[in-house]
Amino acid sequence: MLHASKNIRTIYVSICSFWVIKKENPLIHKLYLYICVKNVSLEHEQNFVQCLKQHSPLLWQEWEQSSYNISSAQNKKVRCIESQHVHQIWKETLQKIVKWLDFDAYVLSEEQAQLMPELLVSDMDSTLIEWEVIDELAVMAGVGKQVADITEQAMQGLLDFETSLRQRVACLQGLHVEAIARLQKQLPLSQGAESLLKACKLQRVETALVSGGFMPFVEALQQRLGIDHVVANHLETQESILTGHVHGQIVDADFKAEFLKLLATKAPSERKTTVAVGDGANDLAMLQAADIGFAYHAKPIVAKAADIAIVHGGLDLIAYHFGWIR
């Protein structure tokens, strides 16, 4: 089994697509298993099969019975499998075995497998960027541990988001806005973020950043990356000092989902095909409102609920999935 260092990993994506062919046999589910890896090799496939055999002999037998790949290219292998097991069983099994691999595997419905997005909506903190910005502001304010503990509870879904946000912002009272200006210049992009957004532009896919964080930071990323739409919370200031309050509409889970739906509306009876990506409990409603929801290095509750959980790869995995980068 491969145990390559995460820093030198060349594996980008393993995609599993699933669909039911009712007309042929309502008890048989036809699966198309995709292993998409940069410089894909027989070893990658062998590692996948070994893990599948260990964790689910029944699914492994179906893999073996299919006996051949219907497509094999530099970055992708595709195998057609006729399965007696439903989507959820494959999804849960793959979510277990990816922990033992250093690439990602997942399953989609027939409808989802054929989608080509027109709109991509992303969370900011710990998704498009590596940081939780409010935690960085808290460090600068000398209340880092206190705020980080509240943030973690909120991300795990153990604390109401609005309550947690107001508690954390209250801890920032007295911080000068110069701290915001310094952090705006230092925002570290997540692996593959820039490649994904460049691919979206080339494919004319509309992009949006919706964050439970703060406007100065989403605006900085908009200017840096050319994102079409941004929305986040507003920090209240007085004489260039944070008051410890937010003003206006709170960007919570419901707001994120409604924002996606608003952007997706082309006409009263038309809707853009949407993809959403996030990592925390505050993103769940948005991921479920999208046609395909990607959980990115997410908390367990989010990874389990999302259509696709990216455990090892970067955000460019999304671009590889849709064939925007080869």
Side-chain angles (χ1 to χ4, degrees):
M1 188 178 300
L2 290 177
H3 294 287
S5 167
K6 196 169 184 179
N7 292 331
I8 61 172
R9 183 179 297 116
T10 58
I11 299 173
Y12 286 94
V13 54
S14 294
I15 307 171
C16 298
S17 299
F18 164 96
W19 58 88
V20 179
I21 308 300
K22 292 185 178 179
K23 292 182 180 180
E24 295 179 5
N25 186 335
L27 301 179
I28 296 296
H29 309 274
K30 186 169 289 187
L31 292 146
Y32 282 75
L33 282 170
Y34 292 74
I35 298 177
C36 297
V37 181
K38 187 175 183 180
N39 300 320
V40 64
S41 68
L42 179 60
E43 186 177 12
H44 296 132
E45 185 174 353
Q46 289 173 338
N47 291 338
F48 174 81
V49 174
Q50 181 181 355
C51 282
L52 185 63
K53 182 178 181 180
Q54 290 174 349
H55 288 83
S56 180
L58 290 177
L59 298 188
W60 169 75
Q61 288 176 7
E62 292 180 344
W63 169 280
E64 290 294 302
Q65 290 168 1
S66 66
S67 76
Y68 67 95
N69 292 321
I70 62 172
S71 175
S72 185
Q74 181 180 359
N75 297 328
K76 179 172 65 177
K77 288 189 176 183
V78 185
R79 179 173 291 216
C80 178
I81 298 173
E82 290 189 345
S83 175
Q84 297 180 21
H85 299 87
V86 296
H87 183 183
Q88 189 64 23
I89 292 176
W90 275 93
K91 178 180 176 180
E92 291 175 358
T93 300
L94 294 177
Q95 286 185 344
K96 291 177 182 177
I97 70 173
V98 294
K99 299 175 183 177
W100 302 96
L101 299 167
D102 46 11
F103 56 87
D104 296 287
Y106 48 88
V107 353
L108 292 177
S109 68
E110 178 181 13
E111 181 181 6
Q112 288 174 320
Q114 296 174 350
L115 291 177
M116 192 53 62
E118 300 169 271
L119 170 68
L120 182 142
V121 181
S122 177
D123 174 44
M124 178 180 70
D125 296 284
S126 297
T127 301
L128 194 67
I129 65 172
E130 296 177 351
W131 284 350
E132 289 288 331
V133 166
I134 196 167
D135 291 351
E136 300 300 320
L137 289 171
V139 169
M140 300 176 82
V143 290
K145 178 64 166 61
Q146 180 180 347
V147 168
D149 288 346
I150 300 173
T151 298
E152 182 60 23
Q153 290 180 60
M155 296 300 290
Q156 294 285 1
L158 303 176
L159 189 62
D160 170 73
F161 178 79
E162 181 173 349
T163 300
S164 72
L165 178 68
R166 294 189 185 281
Q167 288 180 2
R168 288 176 290 170
V169 171
C171 296
L172 303 180
Q173 183 179 5
L175 187 65
H176 198 280
V177 294
E178 287 181 355
I180 293 175
R182 289 201 298 273
L183 286 184
Q184 281 179 306
K185 300 175 183 178
Q186 302 171 20
L187 299 174
L189 296 178
S190 293
Q191 177 189 347
E194 192 166 6
S195 296
L196 171 60
L197 289 169
K198 285 182 178 178
C200 285
K201 285 188 177 298
L202 289 174
Q203 297 297 322
R204 298 183 179 180
V205 175
E206 193 175 353
T207 54
L209 186 58
V210 54
S211 174
F214 309 111
M215 283 301 298
F217 302 101
V218 296
E219 288 172 339
L221 291 168
Q222 181 179 37
Q223 183 175 6
R224 179 177 172 183
L225 300 170
I227 298 169
D228 296 309
H229 311 280
V230 297
V231 65
N233 296 301
H234 295 267
L235 287 167
E236 183 180 85
T237 62
Q238 187 173 356
E239 296 181 355
S240 299
I241 301 295
L242 298 187
T243 66
H245 300 286
V246 290
H247 64 84
Q249 173 72 53
I250 297 294
V251 179
D252 59 8
D254 291 338
F255 185 99
K256 287 187 173 189
E258 290 305 314
F259 185 69
L260 179 145
K261 293 174 184 177
L262 177 65
L263 292 180
T265 302
K266 294 192 291 188
S269 60
E270 290 187 79
R271 185 176 180 274
K272 298 173 187 173
T273 305
T274 59
V275 168
V277 55
D279 73 298
N282 196 38
D283 300 311
L284 269 175
M286 177 179 72
L287 298 184
Q288 293 169 346
D291 294 298
I292 300 180
F294 286 83
Y296 179 69
H297 296 200
K299 304 299 181 288
I301 188 175
V302 182
K304 184 176 181 179
D307 297 304
I308 297 171
I310 303 174
V311 178
H312 303 290
L315 288 173
D316 50 356
L317 180 152
I318 298 172
Y320 277 92
H321 169 72
F322 292 113
W324 299 339
I325 303 176
R326 300 185 184 278

